[in-house]
Amino acid sequence: MKTDTNLLLLILCLAKGGCWAVTVEGYAGDSIIIKCKYDQEYTKHPKYFCKENEFSKSFPCNTLIQTEWSEGRFSLYDDKDSGYFKVIMNKLTKTDEGKYWCAVDIDLSLDEYNEVDLKVREGGSPTTQVTGCVGGAVMMKCSFSLKYADNKKYFCKENSQGPGCEGIIETHVNDQWRTSDRFSLFYNTSGKFALVKIRGLTEKDAGKYQCAVDIPFAGHIQVAVDEHTEAYLHVEEDPCCEQPMHVNAVVGQHLNITCKYPNRHRERPKFFCREADAIGCRYTFTSQDSRAKTDPGLYSLHDNRERRILVVSFRNVTKHHGGHYWCGVEVNWESGGYKAFITNVSLSVKGNNKIVFFLFSALHLH
């Protein structure tokens, strides 16, 4: 980085036809994703992000982060294919307010830069804490502004060993599931939220994720801020997180299936859903309203909190009941939480041998 004086910066502004100062807002305790655009001719040049120092004429901008760095709360990732670099500032505080430069280090010349005026407001939302079981699945909900309904949505995992957020899945299409390996993403236009499902959880999946909307650069504005929410995923091996369960039943049987769950979910609503495919798993009620409403002809739920088990009762098993199910729990789902799919249940239903023998005997006698 150069140590150009304010006079040299003024000359650069005039050469560029004016310097554009962009005001961006973040919230205390949250992170912010700032994208800084640059000319393609500078693709191979180092990039840096610095905070203006009004008390020094020799060093007008103190460098906070440089290309491919991750330093404390700051990281910088250069997306050369897209022609911009992305700065992530974590755990914002009021002291972070001020003027910053998104800059390109130009050899033997004045640096190319854009000015960013950061304001930090109170009232941000904390990172959502999500807990899943090894071998299970989780579904997270991310809310966005309606005005970004047609923008690209993406889901990424922050790199604990360096800068950037590793892209996992993205979509430009609304109201349809997009799947990549174990990850699925869906944007609901009517509800203004995205759903992200991760299946086959492993301990390596643990970490911090971002669910975000890509905000494009507008006109001459060279800075954009992606709207996003954050979640930290914990993946654990718990004795209550059982291995897949295989249950055999016969037509007409009264069947009880019991699923264990961790103590932290004792007071939360439980569900029993049937897989429609690798993504969908539908249910119409939870354990908290099962006494008032059961699924006619299918099953009822009873949550035994003392023993920490969910009891699923089929009154009269039919061939239709055969299939794959999940026992799970809702965690603040209506207010932007998540669902944890804990135990996978495979139910096989066979015909009643007594009935078959009776029919065979009756036909033989006639």
Side-chain angles (χ1 to χ4, degrees):
M1 173 189 168
K2 310 296 185 301
T3 58
D4 306 313
T5 63
N6 290 328
L7 176 60
L8 292 177
L9 292 173
L10 176 60
I11 295 173
L12 174 62
C13 287
L14 294 174
K16 294 170 60 179
C19 289
W20 301 99
V22 178
T23 299
V24 300
E25 291 188 353
Y27 290 91
D30 286 358
S31 64
I32 188 169
I33 305 172
I34 302 173
K35 297 188 301 187
C36 306
K37 191 175 182 180
Y38 58 81
D39 292 337
Q40 286 294 330
E41 63 182 298
Y42 301 132
T43 298
K44 296 182 179 180
H45 289 250
K47 320 300 187 302
Y48 63 89
F49 187 71
C50 62
K51 188 173 185 179
E52 187 172 289
N53 184 358
E54 60 181 321
F55 301 107
S56 173
K57 294 183 178 180
S58 299
F59 297 89
C61 199
N62 296 327
T63 301
L64 298 174
I65 197 77
Q66 295 182 16
T67 306
E68 307 306 329
W69 272 20
S70 183
E71 186 73 28
R73 298 182 298 117
F74 303 87
S75 62
L76 188 154
Y77 170 71
D78 188 6
D79 188 340
K80 295 181 173 62
D81 293 334
S82 300
Y84 65 80
F85 64 90
K86 183 182 294 186
V87 176
I88 301 176
M89 301 174 63
N90 292 309
K91 298 179 181 178
L92 291 175
T93 68
K94 289 292 288 185
T95 58
D96 289 322
E97 283 194 335
K99 292 183 179 181
Y100 296 80
W101 298 347
C102 290
V104 178
D105 192 349
I106 303 175
D107 299 334
L108 303 176
S109 180
L110 297 178
D111 289 356
E112 176 88 5
Y113 82 100
N114 290 294
E115 187 176 296
V116 179
D117 187 7
L118 173 63
K119 306 293 184 183
V120 180
R121 310 299 185 193
E122 298 295 335
S125 57
T127 299
T128 301
Q129 300 296 317
V130 178
T131 302
C133 293
V134 171
V138 292
M139 179 180 286
M140 295 173 263
K141 182 186 288 187
C142 318
S143 299
F144 299 119
S145 301
L146 182 59
K147 61 182 177 180
Y148 300 133
D150 294 327
N151 291 43
K152 180 180 77 175
K153 318 311 184 291
Y154 64 91
F155 186 69
C156 63
K157 183 179 182 182
E158 289 192 14
N159 188 348
S160 61
Q161 303 300 320
C165 193
E166 181 182 355
I168 296 175
I169 189 170
E170 63 181 46
T171 183
H172 293 83
V173 181
N174 295 330
D175 300 314
Q176 292 183 26
W177 282 102
R178 167 86 169 85
T179 298
S180 176
D181 194 22
R182 298 180 297 114
F183 297 84
S184 298
L185 176 61
F186 178 94
Y187 181 71
N188 185 308
T189 52
S190 60
K192 298 182 295 184
F193 61 82
L195 298 176
V196 178
K197 187 171 184 179
I198 309 175
R199 302 177 299 282
L201 291 173
T202 69
E203 292 181 340
K204 292 183 178 180
D205 290 322
K208 192 174 183 180
Y209 293 82
Q210 294 175 3
C211 188
V213 176
D214 182 60
I215 308 300
F217 299 98
H220 61 266
I221 305 300
Q222 303 293 295
V223 176
V225 177
D226 285 356
E227 180 176 332
H228 75 289
T229 59
E230 295 180 343
Y232 194 96
L233 175 61
H234 306 266
V235 182
E236 60 185 20
E237 288 198 56
D238 190 293
C240 294
C241 300
E242 300 176 290
Q243 295 296 315
M245 185 186 307
H246 299 278
V247 179
N248 295 316
V250 296
V251 172
Q253 179 182 348
H254 181 89
L255 176 67
N256 285 336
I257 298 174
T258 59
C259 300
K260 299 177 183 178
Y261 57 81
N263 185 57
R264 64 178 170 275
H265 295 318
R266 186 189 297 266
E267 303 298 324
R268 290 165 176 158
K270 319 304 183 303
F271 62 81
F272 186 71
C273 64
R274 182 170 185 165
E275 282 189 331
D277 48 44
I279 307 169
C281 199
R282 298 181 180 179
Y283 59 95
T284 57
F285 61 95
T286 70
S287 59
Q288 291 192 350
D289 55 14
S290 62
R291 287 185 175 83
K293 179 182 179 182
T294 59
D295 198 335
L298 291 180
Y299 60 85
S300 60
L301 301 179
H302 174 66
D303 185 7
N304 188 327
R305 294 178 180 175
E306 290 186 4
R307 297 176 58 193
R308 286 181 288 125
I309 60 172
L310 176 68
V311 181
V312 185
S313 297
F314 289 83
R315 293 182 296 277
N316 185 19
V317 175
T318 69
K319 282 281 190 178
H320 171 74
H321 293 141
H324 297 279
Y325 298 83
W326 279 96
C327 293
V329 59
E330 293 181 353
V331 182
N332 303 321
W333 180 247
E334 296 302 324
S335 57
Y338 69 98
K339 296 179 183 180
F341 300 80
I342 299 173
T343 304
N344 184 244
V345 180
S346 178
L347 176 59
S348 299
V349 180
K350 296 182 179 180
N352 190 315
N353 292 331
K354 292 182 180 179
I355 296 176
V356 173
F357 176 77
F358 174 79
L359 291 174
F360 175 80
S361 299
L363 289 172
H364 181 73
L365 290 174
H366 287 285

